[in-house]
Amino acid sequence: MSKELQKLLSGDILEEDVELTLAELCDTCQLPAETVFSLVEFGVIEPHGRNPGSWRFRGVSVRRIRCAQRLERDLGVNTAGAALAIDLLEEIEQLRIRLHRFES
């Protein structure tokens, strides 16, 4: 992994256009590949590519994984529940943005 990418990954916010390989995502989130496979299976994150060797993940995947980890750790939510909660939280955020546009 390049030093520039490592520096970028050290923060909590990644640009949307950043793409990570499976190995980079595992390294960044300190997770084994099996856990990432589970997160993909339950819809917490969505890879681009046909097989794990060619998967690429957008920067938002790191944020979604960290949110899922907090939900599981703090609230005891399972992976399927975390995926649903994250989707709903993101939908709420999008609705707030739209509402703010109408109020302005």
Side-chain angles (χ1 to χ4, degrees):
M1 186 179 330
S2 72
K3 288 184 181 187
E4 193 172 297
L5 184 57
Q6 284 177 333
K7 182 179 177 184
L8 185 62
L9 296 177
S10 65
D12 287 331
I13 300 172
L14 294 177
E15 293 182 26
E16 187 66 25
D17 60 347
V18 171
E19 284 195 350
L20 305 169
T21 64
L22 175 60
E24 290 169 338
L25 184 68
C26 289
D27 187 49
T28 299
C29 295
Q30 307 272 310
L31 294 174
E34 294 78 22
T35 302
V36 174
F37 297 150
S38 178
L39 294 170
V40 168
E41 180 181 339
F42 283 102
V44 173
I45 55 176
E46 294 182 28
H48 298 281
R50 293 184 181 258
N51 59 53
S54 65
W55 279 357
R56 296 294 179 266
F57 297 89
R58 295 184 352 240
V60 69
S61 297
V62 174
R63 183 177 48 82
R64 289 178 64 94
I65 288 172
R66 289 181 178 159
C67 184
Q69 289 173 320
R70 283 191 306 274
L71 288 167
E72 291 173 358
R73 180 189 63 235
D74 298 346
L75 301 177
V77 175
N78 64 20
T79 305
L84 176 62
I86 292 167
D87 287 344
L88 292 173
L89 289 168
E90 287 179 352
E91 186 174 339
I92 289 168
E93 182 60 27
Q94 290 302 314
L95 290 171
R96 285 181 177 154
I97 290 169
R98 289 179 64 193
L99 180 61
H100 181 70
R101 285 184 199 148
F102 287 118
E103 290 177 342
S104 299

